[in-house]
Amino acid sequence: MQLDPSSIFTVTTAEDFEKLSLKVFQFQIRKNPVYQSYCAYLGVKVEAIKTLDDIPYLPIQFFKTKKVVSGEGTDQEAVFSSSGTTGSVTSKHYVHDLKLYETSYQKAFAHFYGSIEDYCVLALLPSYLEREGSSLIYMVNDLIKKSEHPKSGFYLNNLNDLKHMLADLESSHTKTLLIGVSFALLNLIENMGLSLKHTVVMETGGMKGRRREMIRSELHGILKKGFGVSEIHSEYGMTELLSQAYSKGNGKFYCPPWMKVSTRDTEDPLSNQALGKTGGINIVDLANINSCAFIATQDLGKAYEDGSFEVLGRFDNADIRGCNLMVL
């Protein structure tokens, strides 16, 4: 079975999404050896998968121990890896088609924020810049280029320069996106009173052992005061996904049309849980057509009827890693 990757971005309705999800499942159950073996172990009957709720989710831990790929070829244009503590096993996502990844994050950003060309993009991602293989760095670097703004760029430890840049952009009423890892944004606002009226401040999560972990509401309260803004935006993404969800400050994330979040009972990994109940987060990311589109994460959260979801923490036995969560 051959699937046209561009069809992923034509999804507009729930019916479209379910129909395409079933096609992707049929493709991956046959062409992804890891997913195929996992489903066989569960005793999954391919012919019995009739609805989206029937599709099994692959535990995200498999990205740490296996090469999770779908299709005849095993070639890849990039290998993205997760951050981790020294000596820990990191996840690896073998990306067959970087153009597909680029299309996914470009269209997702445009879906929620409009054209990237309307923004000056400032990135404060020191922990990601200091290692190789970050999918977030790849995405932000491309968005910086696509913005075509002469002042767009990365910042590492030069926080005074970044503060002055923000002040200059504010004085010229320039529409700006400041995207940063949580601990670096906290470092930026220390002893630096700011009042931003034309800047979207977006955190990507993660204290990475640099600061005390805190729940998102506490973090956002500190950041709102420090940046002088009414809301802090958030990006939810991870190495194992080629799509991102975004929150504009109300604690709820929203997915692009080709991505969907649901939850499972923490005591029953194969269950489908009712909306509004806390459980393990399951994700369908159709952009993962060349890896696995059906992922059971180690995040805890709630899914809602309008398609939004909250991230509340992690499973107790889950290792801390650099994705978008505040550990409870």
Side-chain angles (χ1 to χ4, degrees), residues 9-288:
F9 307 112
T10 65
V11 171
T12 57
T13 67
E15 291 75 17
D16 290 343
F17 185 88
E18 180 160 30
K19 184 177 179 180
L20 189 53
S21 294
L22 290 167
K23 285 184 178 180
V24 172
F25 168 77
Q26 292 292 337
F27 169 69
Q28 294 186 338
I29 194 67
R30 291 175 171 83
K31 299 297 185 179
N32 184 323
V34 174
Y35 188 52
Q36 183 182 66
S37 297
Y38 177 69
C39 289
Y41 179 79
L42 295 178
V44 172
K45 305 280 186 196
V46 176
E47 62 276 10
I49 306 298
K50 303 292 187 185
T51 70
L52 184 60
D53 288 342
D54 298 331
I55 296 176
Y57 290 82
L58 182 75
I60 202 167
Q61 298 94 314
F62 278 95
F63 282 83
K64 290 186 174 185
T65 59
K66 305 291 183 183
K67 187 174 183 178
V68 183
V69 295
S70 297
E72 300 296 341
T74 57
D75 58 314
Q76 59 273 330
E77 294 184 350
V79 180
F80 293 134
S81 58
S82 62
S83 58
T85 56
T86 303
S88 65
V89 179
T90 59
S91 292
K92 288 184 171 57
H93 194 166
Y94 298 86
V95 180
H96 174 72
D97 183 1
L98 279 171
K99 188 63 180 176
L100 180 62
Y101 178 44
E102 293 167 3
T103 301
S104 179
Y105 63 67
Q106 289 168 12
K107 285 186 175 291
F109 185 87
H111 180 77
F112 292 107
Y113 293 98
S115 174
I116 190 63
E117 294 178 2
D118 295 337
Y119 292 83
C120 175
V121 182
L122 307 178
L124 184 59
L125 302 165
S127 53
Y128 292 92
L129 280 174
E130 293 162 354
R131 68 177 184 85
E132 296 183 356
S134 167
S135 57
L136 178 62
I137 291 297
Y138 186 96
M139 177 182 79
V140 174
N141 184 56
D142 190 51
L143 292 178
I144 285 172
K145 291 177 181 177
K146 293 290 191 303
S147 76
E148 298 183 348
H149 195 287
K151 294 183 178 179
S152 289
F154 283 99
Y155 288 79
L156 188 55
N157 299 312
N158 45 339
L159 299 184
N160 279 319
D161 292 345
L162 176 55
K163 180 187 177 184
H164 292 312
M165 179 60 74
L166 284 167
D168 288 344
L169 293 168
E170 281 289 321
S171 65
S172 61
H173 295 188
T174 301
K175 196 172 181 181
T176 302
L177 170 66
L178 170 63
I179 182 168
V181 66
S182 299
F183 76 84
L185 292 175
L186 289 169
N187 291 343
L188 177 61
I189 61 173
E190 286 186 344
N191 305 315
M192 291 187 181
L194 295 166
S195 181
L196 305 179
K197 301 185 185 307
H198 307 285
T199 302
V200 171
V201 180
M202 182 182 293
E203 55 92 2
T204 67
M207 294 301 183
K208 298 179 180 297
R210 309 287 184 97
R211 282 176 173 261
R212 173 181 65 86
E213 295 288 346
M214 60 183 75
I215 61 173
R216 182 172 285 107
S217 59
E218 180 185 3
L219 171 69
H220 284 202
I222 295 170
L223 292 178
K224 282 191 287 188
K225 183 177 179 181
F227 285 109
V229 296
S230 59
E231 297 292 353
I232 298 295
H233 296 225
S234 302
E235 179 260 357
Y236 179 85
M238 57 186 70
T239 299
E240 301 85 354
L241 302 176
L242 294 188
S243 300
Q244 305 77 35
Y246 291 96
S247 168
K248 293 190 175 184
N250 59 359
K252 290 185 179 181
F253 289 90
Y254 291 84
C255 299
W258 56 90
M259 179 182 177
K260 180 179 173 65
V261 165
S262 59
T263 60
R264 63 188 185 275
D265 190 312
T266 55
E267 302 299 324
D268 182 2
L270 302 181
S271 64
N272 292 305
Q273 190 166 248
L275 294 170
K277 292 187 65 176
T278 300
I281 289 179
N282 288 341
I283 298 175
V284 181
D285 180 6
L286 296 180
N288 274 21

Side-chain angles (χ1 to χ4, degrees), residues 272-322:
N272 292 305
Q273 190 166 248
L275 294 170
K277 292 187 65 176
T278 300
I281 289 179
N282 288 341
I283 298 175
V284 181
D285 180 6
L286 296 180
N288 274 21
I289 189 170
N290 295 313
S291 54
C292 185
F294 313 100
I295 305 295
T297 77
Q298 291 183 312
D299 297 343
L300 288 168
K302 296 180 180 180
Y304 297 99
E305 190 172 358
D306 65 354
S308 67
F309 66 98
E310 290 183 272
V311 182
L312 302 175
R314 292 180 66 76
F315 278 66
D316 289 340
N317 63 346
D319 55 339
I320 305 300
R321 62 171 183 170

